[in-house]
Amino acid sequence: MMGPAHSLSGAAAWLATGAIAAGLGDPMPWPTLVVGALICSGAALAPDLDHQAATISRAFGPLSHLACKIIDALSHATYKATRMSGDSRRAGGHRTLTHTWLWAVFLGVGFSALAVYGGRWAVLGILFVHMVLAVDGLLWRQARTSSHILVWLLGATSAWMLAGVLDDPGQGKAWLFTDPGLHYMWIGMPIVLGALVHCVGDAITVSGCPILWPIPVGRRRWHPLGPPKFMRFRAGSWVEIKVLTPVFFVAGGACAVGALGFFG
């Protein structure tokens, strides 16, 4: 799928998580719900850091371009080192390492550890990166007609304000993990979820997605998982724009209402 649909599906997925949490009797404070949805929206763009034309590869100027080259090279090297007899040869690393469950978990655990042990400035950095990506994904028309600096300023301002709200007692930093040393450990959850939602979104396109790596499927370790081919569609096609995008929007809104307890 394309960036806007990935971002919207990520936000909807976290709002659905909030609705489930409310149903299980452990509702998210509204700042956790909002911040988590924005983080998940941004994280749903992250797997495409292996593609030069992707939104995330352009979001932070030269830094993200350099990161893209490194991730692409790492992904390609990993593919070549682990491919089995049924896996084809390929020239690049797009839709390989960063499009797997293992990478998603690695990111989530890493960012959770950074948030817990890095303190407020680490949390601000995590929020800034994902707020910028969320703006680029959800407000892509406006973002593409604005300078990177304006988007960065919006991301930095949002990160500062939201971190301040979360830090207020009972406002969200201690959701799920209540011990003082574990505040913000939940921050890795929307990052894992966003990456996995991205993979699922790519899996239903014509190319599929090797989500299960490194688990082999037959003679392939990089099996492009997906539904039957007649059920798939091309990225950016009318199915994505006219069907899935409105579904994500409506489902996300309904889940937000449920997460906030209006159905209870």
Side-chain angles (χ1 to χ4, degrees):
M1 292 196 298
M2 305 299 286
H6 277 310
S7 274
L8 191 56
S9 66
W14 184 255
L15 294 172
T17 302
I20 293 171
L24 294 175
D26 191 11
M28 297 179 188
W30 72 263
T32 306
L33 185 69
V34 172
V35 172
L38 291 171
I39 291 176
C40 199
S41 174
L45 297 177
D48 276 345
L49 189 56
D50 59 6
H51 193 292
Q52 291 185 2
T55 300
I56 187 173
S57 300
R58 295 179 281 103
F60 300 97
L63 285 177
S64 52
H65 281 297
L66 176 60
C68 173
K69 291 181 180 180
I70 294 171
I71 294 298
D72 181 49
L74 174 63
S75 298
H76 189 211
T78 303
Y79 182 88
K80 290 194 298 181
T82 62
R83 73 184 185 90
M84 296 174 64
S85 60
D87 293 310
S88 61
R89 296 182 180 274
R90 56 184 302 154
H94 182 48
R95 282 202 186 185
T96 55
L97 180 61
T98 61
H99 287 68
T100 65
W101 70 270
L102 191 60
W103 182 265
V105 172
F106 169 77
L107 285 183
V109 171
F111 277 113
S112 282
L114 182 62
V116 170
Y117 296 108
R120 178 176 173 80
W121 288 106
V123 171
L124 282 170
I126 294 169
L127 290 178
F128 168 70
V129 169
H130 289 89
M131 293 308 107
V132 169
L133 294 177
V135 170
D136 275 334
L138 296 174
L139 304 176
W140 65 277
R141 292 184 186 275
Q142 293 82 355
R144 289 195 176 184
T145 58
S146 303
S147 70
H148 284 310
I149 295 176
L150 289 176
V151 176
W152 298 340
L153 286 173
L154 180 57
T157 303
S158 301
W160 187 271
M161 293 175 62
L162 291 171
V165 173
L166 286 171
D167 273 337
D168 286 344
Q171 287 291 78
K173 70 177 181 180
W175 175 74
L176 200 60
F177 301 96
T178 56
D179 292 342
L182 300 181
H183 291 172
Y184 286 115
M185 184 174 279
W186 62 267
I187 212 165
M189 295 173 60
I191 293 173
V192 173
L193 183 59
L196 291 177
V197 167
H198 178 108
C199 293
V200 172
D202 279 353
I204 59 177
T205 63
V206 293
S207 299
C209 188
I211 305 173
L212 295 180
W213 181 88
I215 302 170
V217 178
R219 297 183 301 110
R220 308 179 75 173
R221 198 178 300 277
W222 296 92
H223 179 71
L225 197 69
K229 290 192 175 181
F230 75 89
M231 297 177 63
R232 304 187 191 187
F233 57 90
R234 293 191 178 277
S237 69
W238 67 270
V239 176
E240 178 180 331
I241 297 171
K242 301 294 186 181
V243 178
L244 291 182
T245 298
V247 167
F248 295 149
F249 187 83
V250 173
C255 289
V257 172
L260 293 172
F262 290 110
F263 289 152

